[in-house]
Amino acid sequence: MTTRQRRNRPLLVVHTGEMKGKSTAAFGLALRGWNQGWSVGVFQFVKSAKWKVGEEAAFRALGRVHEQTGEGGPVEWHKMGEGWSWARKQGSEQDHAAAALEGWREIARRIADQRHGIYVLDEFTYPMHWGWVDVDEVVSVLAAREGFQHVVITGRNAPQALVDAADLVVQMTKVKHPMDAGQKGQRGIEW
Amino acid sequence: MTTRQRRNRPLLVVHTGEMKGKSTAAFGLALRGWNQGWSVGVFQFVKSAKWKVGEEAAFRALGRVHEQTGEGGPVEWHKMGEGWSWARKQGSEQDHAAAALEGWREIARRIADQRHGIYVLDEFTYPMHWGWVDVDEVVSVLAAREGFQHVVITGRNAPQALVDAADLVVQMTKVKHPMDAGQKGQRGIEW
């Protein structure tokens, strides 16, 4: 590889581990992509307490900045399987599995179309971990992706095949957590 | 403490460890604060390769969104000791130490004035690690802060006294890094 090739290579990044910071760091990375003028695609796979409304509002605002002024890049934010909730156990597990798989297939189509410069597949490790989306298919689609598309995948329990395929893997580990001291989750921090 | 008090307590957060994600996660957290309408104050202590221009541009855009539409919160972004560079070794170490200390004193004044809802002290562990800013003074000022001010400090080698004082400490550890495979730093990823 030339230096230029080594310098400009689309990366598969995985943020895993049991601690906070996996998703926030992915969104921080997406800020850099936005500033490069790349199309930012965020795909959320798990309905968490508040769907990360803070990041969503901020990225939607940045998307509007792009539309109005041309600064940065366009932003798309998708909730895969909107309407269902893991926590509330609405619908059956088969429904969840089907929704997750359909979400992944949509992403695979976008990758084939080279739709985005950076993809954040937030909490996408879970559908793979649970066997709802085949990790070998994911690795195969990502390995074959053309053009210049960075992909960031977050969540605990990253499957080994995904870690093996990734260029960059960061583990967020716990040193100290306020909930150990009785702290409850709070706005602006947890969401 | 009541549930409400436990729920709404200003946190001291430390992102440390040798791996990427410390600063990006801090900026991701700041997105949540912005969406809460809090005043976001970012203070950069180390001149890195590109000063994190991606995040800076995105947060400045969000600050303009706030000014123009009232959405989110105001944003201030400060480079402490602008003009000097650790890498280039301009000026003497004493100059750097004095600039870092002056930067910290400015933050301490803002904390006393309750200026911001969330402070990102990016790479602030280094001036403490190097002895340029007294960690006991930092811990003391942070412990005594009034009102509702979250503080996020990033960087390797977080001093133990800071870790002891923190509510939440995340360590970013390396599983795999693309530079191990000859990859060079690249725009949109490293800055």
Side-chain angles (χ1 to χ4, degrees):
Chain A
M1 286 194 292
T2 66
T3 298
R4 184 177 167 77
Q5 284 169 328
R6 275 201 303 272
R7 186 169 284 284
N8 292 300
R9 193 160 57 102
L11 297 183
L12 172 56
V13 179
V14 175
H15 292 169
T16 193
E18 93 270 29
M19 193 50 173
K20 300 159 76 67
K22 298 184 288 294
S23 297
T24 43
F27 293 122
L29 207 49
L31 290 179
R32 297 182 183 169
W34 177 84
N35 185 55
Q36 293 293 336
W38 300 344
S39 172
V40 176
V42 178
F43 306 88
Q44 295 190 285
F45 273 86
V46 171
K47 182 168 184 173
S48 48
K50 299 266 176 176
W51 276 116
K52 289 163 191 157
V53 290
E55 291 91 327
E56 181 178 355
F59 272 95
R60 288 194 186 281
L62 290 172
R64 288 195 301 277
V65 167
H66 174 74
E67 286 166 20
Q68 290 163 11
T69 71
E71 186 183 354
V75 175
E76 288 191 42
W77 188 287
H78 297 282
K79 300 181 175 98
M80 310 317 282
E82 188 155 20
W84 40 255
S85 159
W86 314 107
R88 288 186 204 152
K89 302 282 184 200
Q90 292 167 339
S92 69
E93 182 172 316
Q94 278 162 334
D95 292 341
H96 297 338
L101 185 58
E102 175 44 39
W104 158 248
R105 291 274 157 78
E106 169 63 22
I107 291 164
R109 284 189 291 272
R110 288 168 180 252
I111 288 173
D113 293 345
Q114 301 184 37
R115 186 86 72 90
H116 302 290
I118 181 166
Y119 298 72
V120 177
L121 311 190
D122 192 38
E123 308 198 74
F124 184 50
T125 56
Y126 300 102
M128 286 187 278
H129 180 65
W130 296 329
W132 297 351
V133 174
D134 181 48
V135 63
D136 292 332
E137 179 186 322
V138 172
V139 166
S140 162
V141 165
L142 293 177
R145 74 191 189 280
E146 298 192 331
F148 197 77
Q149 307 181 83
H150 293 293
V151 178
V152 187
I153 296 176
T154 78
R156 299 180 186 202
N157 302 121
Q160 189 59 45
L162 183 72
V163 169
D164 292 343
D167 302 291
L168 170 66
V169 182
V170 184
Q171 178 133 346
M172 278 66 176
T173 58
K174 170 170 144 174
V175 177
K176 188 192 276 188
H177 195 291
M179 291 184 191
D180 297 343
Q183 173 72 37
K184 303 278 184 186
Q186 57 182 321
R187 69 194 168 94
I189 298 295
E190 261 74 41
W191 63 84
Chain B
M1 287 193 293
T2 66
T3 298
R4 184 176 167 78
Q5 283 169 329
R6 276 201 302 273
R7 187 170 283 287
N8 291 301
R9 194 160 58 103
L11 298 182
L12 172 57
V13 179
V14 175
H15 292 170
T16 192
E18 93 271 28
M19 194 52 172
K20 299 158 76 68
K22 298 183 287 294
S23 298
T24 43
F27 293 122
L29 207 48
L31 290 180
R32 296 181 183 170
W34 176 84
N35 185 55
Q36 292 293 337
W38 299 344
S39 172
V40 176
V42 178
F43 306 87
Q44 295 189 286
F45 272 87
V46 171
K47 182 168 184 173
S48 49
K50 299 265 176 176
W51 275 116
K52 291 165 188 151
V53 289
E55 292 93 326
E56 181 177 355
F59 272 96
R60 289 194 187 280
L62 290 172
R64 287 195 302 276
V65 167
H66 174 74
E67 286 166 19
Q68 290 162 10
T69 71
E71 187 184 353
V75 175
E76 287 191 42
W77 189 288
H78 297 282
K79 301 182 175 97
M80 310 318 282
E82 188 156 22
W84 42 254
S85 159
W86 314 106
R88 288 186 202 154
K89 302 281 185 200
Q90 291 166 339
S92 68
E93 182 172 316
Q94 279 162 333
D95 293 340
H96 297 337
L101 185 58
E102 176 43 38
W104 158 247
R105 291 276 157 78
E106 169 63 22
I107 291 165
R109 283 189 292 271
R110 286 166 181 253
I111 287 172
D113 293 345
Q114 302 184 36
R115 187 86 73 91
H116 302 289
I118 181 165
Y119 298 72
V120 177
L121 311 190
D122 192 37
E123 308 197 73
F124 184 50
T125 57
Y126 300 101
M128 285 187 279
H129 180 64
W130 295 331
W132 297 352
V133 174
D134 180 49
V135 63
D136 292 332
E137 179 186 322
V138 171
V139 166
S140 162
V141 165
L142 293 177
R145 74 192 189 280
E146 298 192 333
F148 198 76
Q149 307 180 83
H150 293 294
V151 178
V152 187
I153 296 176
T154 78
R156 299 181 186 202
N157 303 121
Q160 189 59 45
L162 183 71
V163 169
D164 291 343
D167 302 290
L168 170 66
V169 182
V170 184
Q171 177 134 346
M172 278 67 175
T173 58
K174 171 170 144 173
V175 176
K176 189 192 276 188
H177 194 292
M179 292 184 191
D180 297 342
Q183 173 73 35
K184 302 278 184 186
Q186 57 183 320
R187 69 194 167 93
I189 298 294
E190 261 71 41
W191 62 83

